[in-house]
Amino acid sequence: MTAELVRGQNHSLSQARLEIRVSAGAPVVASATLSDEHGRARGVEWVAHPGAPTLPGLEVSKQAAADHRLAVDLGAMPEAVHRVNVLLALPTGGGGPVRFGAVAAPFVAVTGLDGTEVASYTITGLDAESAVVALELYRRQGAWKVRAVGQGYAGGLAELFADQGLSEAHQLAGTINEAVAQGLARSVPAPPQRTADGDRTRQAAAPALGPDQGGPAPQATPGHAIPQPTSPYGPQGTQSGYPANPSAATQPSVPHVGSPVDYSHPGRQNAAPPPPPPTAPQAPPGQPAQPVAGDATGWSMDERLYNQVWGMFEDLARTAAAYRSAVDFADSRMEKELDQALSDPRSRIGGQGDAAREAARVKHAQLVDQARQALDRDLAQLAAESDVVEPALPPAYARWDNPVWHAYRVPMEMPMALRLGDLYLPESELLRIPMLVRLPLERGLWIDSGRTGSLDESYADAHAPGRLAMDTAVALAVRLLAVYPAGEFAVHVIDPAGSGAQALAPLVRTGLLASPPAPGAAGVSDVLTQLTQRVDLVQMAVRGGAADSLPPGFDTAEQLLIVNDFPHGFDDRAVTQLRYLADEGPAVGVHLMMVADREEAAGYGPLLDPLWRSLMRLTPLPDDHLADPWVGHAWTYEPALVPPGSQVLQQVLSQIAQGRTKYM
């Protein structure tokens, strides 16, 4: 059982080899210090950080990211080490947040090598601090324990290191910030080859710079297969299908450096090969094959399209990472050449220094231009593929403005996945990748009704974020109703104050709600009690091996609960029931969709932190809060909303209502 620690609390550690997993609402720098029995670090050599990530018994991440895994072997610690402090800091100079009060509370978990959580700690109460001591592993009477610390420092890493007795605190902090800023040891590992059916093999985009263009020596960039993740968008990355060690899988041959993304599907040998994908038209010599919809493996067209979309997502992540890495290299090379030119006194006489500086800048511009050309080439190919794939998507994967919705009919079976919105990167704002999650949902959804960075002065109305969030929730609920067969999905609504009546009107008019929206505290209690009892009953039946012995007339449909205006109308018992549904409901077909502002629920303190972590956060306006667990890019999420003035939502609801009348 996981120990959920609060500040100052400790917990015994029974294992020597551990992982420390970090999840934050923004990229953070993870490092660690070793201390003696007095809590003092003896020098910079006792600090593991992105520029020097390995110490005896300890290894930290090499770059800033929203998610980290730190490896700890307490049995390999030197005898002089009595404490291991896990540190988190916000990167400087990158245009990101400068204080922890502006991001979601970081979450730190100590796990075994099998992923089992031993202890966890949500670091709350931070405001102006930009660095924090998250956890402390310490030796006491020959045994190791973990303590939740949560000590923040407004002065950043420099103040933190000085507090730990390091005389070189400022120099060390500068070294770490420089290593992060320049992308030292930054790499983009290829995900492993997958042997299961339904994967999609694509040739990786090669590095933008080769050694003959002044770039770094190329690393092997294998062709890679899309794993079949359930969803890589969660803040903790727990849903990702990518293993922690990509090198553990067999890798195919290395593509030619500088070659474009190849969209032709290479031959694969499976034990039971699925139907072959469509054949792409023959391309002229030297040109990439023309993209076609469904150019991926799979047993059905829906599965091939699903795998193809994931391939597009991965290709965009890789090509953007290659471009950023190339630009970082060009920047560091120019700085090095300028330093060399200025360090030679002879170059300062006459025009030699000016000529050297100009040559360095010209070379930098050439390298950046070459990287941009490679990026533009790959983006053009991905855009061409998107232009082919989008019109071919089925309703579950399509935008609301796709003509496929005008021919919508109630399906006979549930699809593989559902589109929750679109994703894009700053380098490719015009290229949208569908955000698909597998069905049935394995996590609840949280539509954030608080103010985000996308809400500017034009939204002077304080209630505008809540209305936008509720519109987003209704659009997603209609999508879920539309992709399930008739009668196999039911929607419940808790709206204590009635503030969501306007957004819920289409669902109410068509009679597709399981019951009218529940008002007031009594309505909250009734609905939550009904659904928690349902979860208990199904769990008992499944665990007892009597899933077919449920009471007569028991509704076996998947259930969705939309909660609006939380925590209005919720008492402590209702909050506990809500947490129970979020944790236990998805496994037995009860799903949660929260429309809430986390700040309004701040009065509950850390009690609700596990609830927020268990839900996938979505926003009613574009916001770059999602991070993939593979490369670590900050992806901008754009919700799947109905175009203004469109009647497609009402048409789809009418078809669903007719389908229920016909088949039930």
Side-chain angles (χ1 to χ4, degrees):
M1 181 176 179
T2 305
E4 295 187 7
L5 305 180
V6 297
R7 185 172 182 176
Q9 186 178 1
N10 60 41
H11 186 72
S12 299
L13 298 175
S14 59
Q15 305 176 52
R17 301 183 65 187
L18 303 165
E19 272 192 350
I20 298 177
R21 303 186 180 186
V22 178
S23 294
V28 296
V29 180
S31 53
T33 59
L34 307 181
S35 306
D36 57 20
E37 63 273 19
H38 303 296
R40 295 288 182 177
R42 297 186 177 179
V44 295
E45 66 276 6
W46 275 31
V47 182
H49 57 82
T54 305
L55 291 177
L58 179 64
E59 184 173 1
V60 303
S61 305
K62 298 181 180 180
Q63 62 183 9
D67 298 298
H68 291 275
R69 289 189 179 186
L70 285 65
V72 179
D73 186 353
L74 298 175
M77 290 290 170
E79 288 295 326
V81 174
H82 286 256
R83 299 182 187 179
V84 180
N85 298 292
V86 179
L87 320 176
L88 304 179
L90 293 170
T92 61
V98 296
R99 60 186 185 90
F100 276 110
V103 301
F107 172 73
V108 187
V110 179
T111 74
L113 296 184
D114 59 355
T116 303
E117 284 192 8
V118 178
S120 65
Y121 173 43
T122 301
I123 310 172
T124 58
L126 299 178
D127 187 12
E129 297 87 347
S130 59
V132 61
V133 179
L135 293 177
E136 176 187 64
L137 310 181
Y138 63 99
R139 197 196 309 251
R140 180 67 53 85
Q141 297 179 349
W144 285 90
K145 294 184 178 183
V146 58
R147 177 186 289 118
V149 180
Q151 176 63 52
Y153 295 85
L157 286 173
E159 182 182 352
L160 188 156
F161 289 139
D163 191 46
Q164 296 200 352
L166 286 171
S167 58
E168 310 92 336
H170 288 277
Q171 296 90 324
L172 178 57
T175 299
I176 295 175
N177 291 331
E178 182 181 359
V180 173
Q182 294 183 358
L184 293 180
R186 184 179 182 180
S187 62
V188 183
Q193 189 75 15
R194 220 187 87 205
T195 58
D197 300 334
D199 62 349
R200 178 172 192 253
T201 304
R202 299 166 67 96
Q203 184 175 348
L209 296 177
D212 53 339
Q213 290 88 24
Q219 298 179 346
T221 307
H224 54 284
I226 299 298
Q228 196 168 2
T230 54
S231 172
Y233 302 105
Q236 304 176 57
T238 57
Q239 301 283 331
S240 170
Y242 301 113
N245 181 14
S247 62
T250 304
Q251 305 285 3
S253 60
V254 179
H256 175 67
V257 175
S259 61
V261 179
D262 182 4
Y263 292 101
S264 59
H265 190 311
R268 292 187 53 80
Q269 305 228 338
N270 293 324
T279 303
Q282 293 294 327
Q287 298 292 326
Q290 295 298 313
V292 295
D295 184 17
T297 58
W299 293 96
S300 65
M301 188 61 174
D302 281 3
E303 187 176 358
R304 293 198 292 266
L305 286 169
Y306 172 82
N307 289 326
Q308 185 172 18
V309 167
W310 276 107
M312 294 165 60
F313 168 80
E314 187 173 322
D315 283 338
L316 179 55
R318 291 184 63 86
T319 194
Y323 170 73
R324 295 178 186 180
S325 180
V327 172
D328 288 347
F329 171 79
D331 292 341
S332 62
R333 178 186 175 123
M334 181 179 70
E335 292 178 5
K336 181 179 179 180
E337 291 178 348
L338 290 175
D339 290 342
Q340 290 175 346
L342 295 175
S343 63
D344 188 355
R346 294 171 297 179
S347 65
R348 303 173 189 169
I349 303 174
Q352 294 183 11
D354 293 338
R357 285 190 289 270
E358 183 61 25
R361 293 189 182 98
V362 169
K363 186 62 176 178
H364 174 271
Q366 291 176 348
L367 296 178
V368 173
D369 288 344
Q370 290 171 4
R372 186 70 214 190
Q373 290 173 9
L375 174 67
D376 291 342
R377 177 198 64 209
D378 292 341
L379 291 181
Q381 294 178 24
L382 283 169
E385 184 171 19
S386 178
D387 291 341
V388 172
V389 170
E390 279 286 355
L393 295 177
Y397 303 173
R399 295 191 186 100
W400 283 114
D401 58 0
N402 192 312
V404 71
W405 284 106
H406 295 289
Y408 167 78
R409 294 294 181 270
V410 177
M412 300 302 294
E413 60 182 14
M414 180 185 70
M416 283 187 61
L418 181 77
R419 185 174 191 156
L420 296 184
D422 293 334
L423 297 170
Y424 62 89
L425 292 172
E427 292 86 354
S428 58
E429 293 190 359
L430 298 180
L431 177 60
R432 301 297 201 267
I433 304 296
M435 177 179 170
L436 304 181
V437 296
R438 293 294 296 266
L439 291 178
L441 296 173
E442 295 185 4
R443 297 175 65 188
L445 303 176
W446 165 28
I447 316 298
D448 193 348
S449 60
R451 285 190 169 269
T452 65
S454 302
L455 285 169
D456 54 23
E457 292 79 6
S458 60
Y459 291 92
D461 185 357
H463 300 289
R467 288 197 295 266
L468 290 170
M470 199 59 192
D471 289 340
T472 303
V474 170
L476 292 175
V478 174
R479 275 184 169 269
L480 286 163
L481 283 167
V483 301
Y484 274 81
E488 292 190 11
F489 197 85
V491 178
H492 307 261
V493 176
I494 290 177
D495 188 19
S499 59
Q502 182 177 353
L504 293 167
L507 290 171
V508 174
R509 282 198 303 265
T510 50
L512 293 178
L513 294 179
S515 59
V524 171
S525 177
D526 290 345
V527 174
L528 291 178
T529 300
Q530 172 190 346
L531 291 178
T532 52
Q533 289 176 351
R534 175 190 178 90
V535 171
D536 291 338
L537 181 61
V538 177
Q539 280 185 338
M540 286 189 294
V542 172
R543 291 169 182 171
D548 56 348
S549 301
L550 291 168
F554 184 85
D555 184 8
T556 58
E558 299 274 316
Q559 309 287 315
L560 173 69
L561 173 61
I562 302 176
V563 178
N564 184 35
D565 204 18
F566 178 82
H568 181 79
F570 281 74
D571 55 19
D572 291 344
R573 181 173 182 271
V575 169
T576 302
Q577 290 176 316
L578 199 65
R579 284 190 55 182
Y580 178 73
L581 291 178
D583 294 338
E584 304 294 336
V588 292
V590 178
H591 310 284
L592 184 62
M593 184 185 294
M594 295 271 294
V595 181
D597 180 359
R598 187 169 183 173
E599 291 186 2
E600 292 184 359
Y604 286 96
L607 175 66
L608 289 182
D609 288 336
L611 173 64
W612 304 123
R613 288 200 307 269
S614 68
L615 304 175
M616 181 188 299
R617 177 176 175 251
L618 304 176
T619 53
L621 290 173
D623 190 74
D624 60 349
H625 66 282
L626 293 174
D628 66 80
W630 172 48
V631 179
H633 292 322
W635 292 79
T636 297
Y637 166 78
E638 187 174 66
L641 297 176
V642 179
S646 174
Q647 298 299 315
V648 63
L649 193 73
Q650 191 60 45
Q651 294 172 7
V652 170
L653 288 172
S654 299
Q655 288 290 333
I656 299 171
Q658 293 177 14
R660 290 193 175 185
T661 303
K662 180 177 180 180
Y663 295 107
M664 295 177 63

